[in-house]
Amino acid sequence: MKRCVLQALTQSLSRLLLALAALGLPLLPVRATTGNEDDTPHHRINLTGNILTEDLWQVEVGYHWMALPYVGVGGAVGFRGALDMEGTPSGKGWAVTDDPKSPTDLYLRPSVFLASPPLLRTRFTDFHLTGEAGLLLNIPYERVDITRYDGVPGIPTDYDHISSHKGRIHAFELRVGVSSGIDDGLTLSVGYQLSTLDPYAMRRDLSYEGVRFDTFYPKARVQHGAYLSLSIYL
């Protein structure tokens, strides 16, 4: 059920991105020919993906209001997940049996975006330094499926589940990178990301028949990684 919901949300997110692009791209030449005295873009729409240590990944669509030419305030909505997860909580006659990649969650990420004036100009493009500080907010809910093997080892005899609204739902993130214009209003950015995201945060306080899940998971660590972002300025 959870996977079906995530697939539906992923499809909705993809449709949203396509709709934003369809609405935004035709406005690029219009803005250039309206004769408006203020040609500074005030809207930044971006698609960003990244890979972090511990095989974590994130994909998000974001928007920033560029209140000043090099300062924007806004946020993003996205999905996070893992290519692999460590640790399988288990006890006498039971084990957690959901997909180890299943802790895949929708999140919100308010942030402040900064860009420098052009540091290098070439015949074809300009290069800028960029920075973004954000707070990742997970949905405060986690459900874990459990299979019981009472009496017959290796053969399921019953199914159960537990859920929780507790656990740390936030993480601080910092991105620093370089951006370059690839077309009128389009920029490509690549850089480094630091994050305090703990993929096990919502599961650490769970327990089943007196067995705490936290003992099966690695300690929370600061994550490092790289990101790639495509932005449209309107």
Side-chain angles (χ1 to χ4, degrees):
M1 178 66 181
K2 184 177 180 181
R3 182 173 298 177
C4 293
V5 172
L6 290 173
Q7 289 175 348
L9 290 172
T10 303
Q11 293 175 357
S12 299
L13 196 61
S14 300
R15 294 192 187 101
L16 175 61
L17 176 62
L18 292 174
L20 291 172
L23 290 172
L25 289 175
L27 292 176
L28 292 175
V30 173
R31 181 179 59 82
T33 58
T34 54
N36 191 335
E37 294 181 359
D38 183 10
D39 288 332
T40 303
H42 291 291
H43 309 277
R44 175 180 179 263
I45 300 170
N46 66 287
L47 173 64
T48 302
N50 61 47
I51 293 292
L52 299 170
T53 49
E54 295 191 23
D55 295 324
L56 303 181
W57 58 264
Q58 292 172 263
V59 177
E60 65 185 37
V61 175
Y63 169 81
H64 288 88
W65 164 253
M66 303 302 293
L68 299 172
Y70 303 111
V71 180
V73 179
V77 58
F79 287 101
R80 68 169 185 84
L83 302 176
D84 195 14
M85 301 290 286
E86 298 181 37
T88 302
S90 60
K92 185 176 180 180
W94 64 270
V96 171
T97 51
D98 54 2
D99 189 336
K101 302 176 185 179
S102 64
T104 304
D105 295 301
L106 181 71
Y107 65 83
L108 297 176
R109 185 178 176 276
S111 65
V112 175
F113 174 78
L114 303 174
S116 72
L119 298 181
L120 176 64
R121 294 182 183 271
T122 69
R123 180 179 176 183
F124 304 101
T125 187
D126 297 338
F127 291 91
H128 304 253
L129 289 179
T130 62
E132 186 176 354
L135 185 66
L136 188 149
L137 302 173
N138 293 303
I139 295 176
Y141 176 78
E142 184 72 23
R143 169 178 165 143
V144 177
D145 295 321
I146 295 172
T147 299
R148 300 197 61 89
Y149 304 94
D150 299 314
V152 185
I155 299 178
T157 57
D158 198 4
Y159 299 93
D160 199 358
H161 73 271
I162 55 176
S163 61
S164 174
H165 295 277
K166 300 179 180 179
R168 182 165 63 88
I169 67 169
H170 66 276
F172 173 76
E173 294 189 336
L174 178 65
R175 296 174 182 171
V176 179
V178 178
S179 69
S180 172
I182 58 176
D183 200 350
D184 184 21
L186 296 177
T187 64
L188 184 67
S189 304
V190 62
Y192 162 80
Q193 176 167 325
L194 178 146
S195 176
T196 61
L197 175 63
D198 177 10
Y200 309 93
M202 291 298 296
R203 296 189 171 204
R204 292 190 182 278
D205 291 334
L206 292 175
S207 63
Y208 188 76
E209 294 188 347
V211 178
R212 286 183 53 84
F213 286 15
D214 188 42
T215 59
F216 294 86
Y217 297 137
K219 293 182 179 180
R221 298 187 290 267
V222 174
Q223 309 288 335
H224 306 272
Y227 74 88
L228 181 67
S229 181
L230 179 65
S231 302
I232 303 173
Y233 286 86
L234 304 172

